[in-house]
Amino acid sequence: LRDAPTIGSVLGLEAGVPSAVAAGLPKRGADYLSYYAGYADKLEGSVIPIFPENAFDYTRLEPHGVIGVNSTWTGGISAACRKAAPALAVGNTVVIKPMELAPFSVIRFAELALEAGIPPGVVNVVPGDGAAGQALCEHPGIDKISFTGGIETAEKILVAAAKNITPVVLELGGKSGNIVFPDADLAVAGQFSGQVCMGNAGQGCVFPTRLIVHEDVHDQILEK
């Protein structure tokens, strides 16, 4: 939070993120870090009661190892924190490949991680273009891959990951949907839907550009 104004300025300069959105992204990143830090001492293995009683069934907490993170240009440090925080909380290390057009807020995240006492080599940033991303996804030392972006790039990631049968988690442009029922406050629902979906020119998975409206209030919401 101390560096939020500076990081917000960086997001505006490198990605054209509007100042109102840019101001909130570092704070959201801090929220992710705080939230997942709470998991670090609460996740553990457990013995599972099963039938027959003489059988023994258990789980254990075992990190994947090295997580390859392909970060988005729109989210910057927020997207990096959202992916890195849960990975770190359960004992993994991360290698983040930021979007080549907007790498600087993610680089600043790695600098702050070192400043906070994260050991060197736990949070890593590898800037570069598609060749860097391909090298990351093909690397045999990567144990899992996370990617948010477009389908065309996702196809290339899956091909690269297949060489080592590396697990991949993809988020490919999903958009949040607002569901409006007849008993909703239509004035609030209409205003929220009209304003928020235009945030960052609609370029963000949390901006509700889909409206699912009950037919009884369709015309009223459309008017709002």
Side-chain angles (χ1 to χ4, degrees), residues 195-218:
Q195 290 181 346
V196 178
C197 76
M198 297 300 178
N200 207 39
Q203 298 177 96
C205 57
V206 299
F207 300 125
T209 52
R210 292 186 298 117
L211 271 179
I212 303 170
V213 181
H214 193 281
E215 61 184 356
D216 290 350
V217 293
H218 171 272

Side-chain angles (χ1 to χ4, degrees), residues 8-106:
S9 297
V10 169
L11 288 166
L13 290 170
E14 69 177 356
V17 178
S19 58
V21 177
L25 290 177
K27 298 174 184 178
R28 183 176 295 172
D31 286 342
Y32 289 132
L33 294 171
S34 176
Y35 178 83
Y36 286 106
Y39 274 85
D41 62 351
K42 297 176 180 65
L43 297 173
E44 57 186 19
S46 60
V47 176
I48 304 171
I50 63 170
F51 181 84
E53 289 76 6
N54 61 350
F56 182 53
D57 188 25
Y58 70 96
T59 64
R60 70 176 187 176
L61 179 63
E62 185 174 330
H64 274 284
V66 183
I67 310 298
V69 173
N70 293 271
S71 187
T72 66
W73 70 269
T74 51
I77 194 170
S78 172
C81 291
R82 184 173 69 246
K83 292 173 179 289
L88 296 172
V90 294
N92 299 291
T93 62
V94 295
V95 180
I96 307 173
K97 192 283 193 188
M99 173 66 173
E100 59 266 30
L101 300 178
F104 299 109
S105 68
V106 179

Side-chain angles (χ1 to χ4, degrees), residues 64-168:
H64 274 284
V66 183
I67 310 298
V69 173
N70 293 271
S71 187
T72 66
W73 70 269
T74 51
I77 194 170
S78 172
C81 291
R82 184 173 69 246
K83 292 173 179 289
L88 296 172
V90 294
N92 299 291
T93 62
V94 295
V95 180
I96 307 173
K97 192 283 193 188
M99 173 66 173
E100 59 266 30
L101 300 178
F104 299 109
S105 68
V106 179
I107 292 173
R108 184 58 183 149
F109 166 60
E111 293 174 343
L112 291 173
L114 289 173
E115 184 181 321
I118 299 295
V122 173
V123 176
N124 310 274
V125 177
V126 180
D129 58 10
Q134 182 174 355
L136 177 67
C137 296
E138 289 180 344
H139 198 286
I142 297 297
D143 299 294
K144 193 169 187 177
I145 298 168
S146 173
F147 171 73
T148 300
I151 293 177
E152 182 179 345
T153 302
E155 291 175 347
K156 296 177 181 178
I157 288 175
L158 289 173
V159 170
K163 296 182 178 181
N164 299 303
I165 317 181
T166 306
V168 179

